[in-house]
Amino acid sequence: MCSILKISRASYYKWLNKKPMEDKNSLLIKQIQEICEKNNRLFGYRKMTMKINKISEKPVNHKRIYRLMSLLDLQSVYRPRKRYPKNANKQQTAKNVLKRQFETSKPNEVWVTDITEIHIPGLPKLYLSSIVDLYDRSIVSYKLSLRNDSQLVDETLKLALKNNPGHVG
């Protein structure tokens, strides 16, 4: 029969002794359902694949996980996006005292400040608040924080006043 079908005997016996995929899939289905229950159905097929590959000895293809999750009608729950108001209420704005004249004649006469957002992969955003003396462009003080708020600016200013007792104030 193998010679008529042009199949090697080894291939026939391999096919004959092959375990059905349903056994492997049933184990995977149980794992998928357990993970879904633990995580409140927040995992999609990509995260589910990563989680199952950490648990099992043999890696599982993401397409197989996708197919099984579709059969079980398990879809990740999408969280709604946060909506931010486009026109936020503007608070107090300081007067433009410098009028773009950034040259000074003595130290500690004019300080300027800036907040920089720093992105580091794998970590939350950091905010760097710094105060610069316009006389020699030196850093008077700086502070790092996880939040961009008025407390960050206040702490930076307090640190600058503490470190520079000869400031004009």
Side-chain angles (χ1 to χ4, degrees):
M1 183 169 83
C2 288
S3 61
I4 293 171
L5 293 173
K6 297 179 183 176
I7 299 173
S8 68
R9 289 174 65 191
S11 296
Y12 170 71
Y13 285 111
K14 187 176 180 181
W15 172 81
L16 189 63
N17 295 324
K18 181 180 165 186
K19 291 183 180 177
M21 280 296 278
E22 286 121 20
D23 293 342
K24 295 177 186 176
N25 283 344
S26 63
L27 177 65
L28 265 176
I29 286 172
K30 288 178 186 175
Q31 288 179 336
I32 289 171
Q33 288 174 334
E34 287 174 11
I35 293 170
C36 276
E37 288 174 16
K38 287 180 185 175
N39 296 305
N40 296 325
R41 293 180 60 170
L42 290 178
F43 282 6
Y45 76 95
R46 291 180 186 97
K47 280 190 179 180
M48 185 68 69
T49 305
M50 289 191 297
K51 186 76 171 177
I52 287 179
N53 283 338
K54 283 183 182 178
I55 295 171
S56 64
E57 304 95 33
K58 286 180 95 176
V60 182
N61 192 322
H62 66 278
K63 295 175 193 172
R64 184 172 177 192
I65 300 292
Y66 180 81
R67 183 172 27 87
L68 291 175
M69 286 181 72
S70 295
L71 287 173
L72 297 171
D73 197 33
L74 293 175
Q75 295 177 345
S76 62
V77 177
Y78 289 97
R79 295 181 190 148
R81 275 190 174 178
K82 290 182 181 178
R83 300 285 180 183
Y84 296 103
K86 290 183 179 177
N87 297 327
N89 293 337
K90 292 186 178 180
Q91 295 179 357
Q92 284 184 318
T93 305
K95 292 181 181 178
N96 187 2
V97 178
L98 290 178
K99 296 191 171 96
R100 302 198 58 81
Q101 294 176 358
F102 300 117
E103 302 297 324
T104 61
S105 58
K106 57 184 178 180
N108 294 326
E109 188 176 26
V110 177
W111 288 349
V112 292
T113 184
D114 185 37
I115 297 177
T116 305
E117 194 175 280
I118 302 171
H119 297 277
I120 301 172
L123 294 175
K125 281 187 211 175
L126 291 174
Y127 297 95
L128 172 68
S129 174
S130 59
I131 296 178
V132 177
D133 187 359
L134 283 183
Y135 176 71
D136 58 355
R137 307 290 196 262
S138 63
I139 304 289
V140 176
S141 69
Y142 66 92
K143 195 84 173 163
L144 275 173
S145 176
L146 293 173
R147 298 182 62 181
N148 184 9
D149 54 5
S150 60
Q151 183 179 356
L152 172 64
V153 177
D154 289 343
E155 289 175 3
T156 311
L157 183 60
K158 286 177 186 175
L159 186 63
L161 295 174
K162 178 184 169 189
N163 293 339
N164 296 292
H167 70 282
V168 176

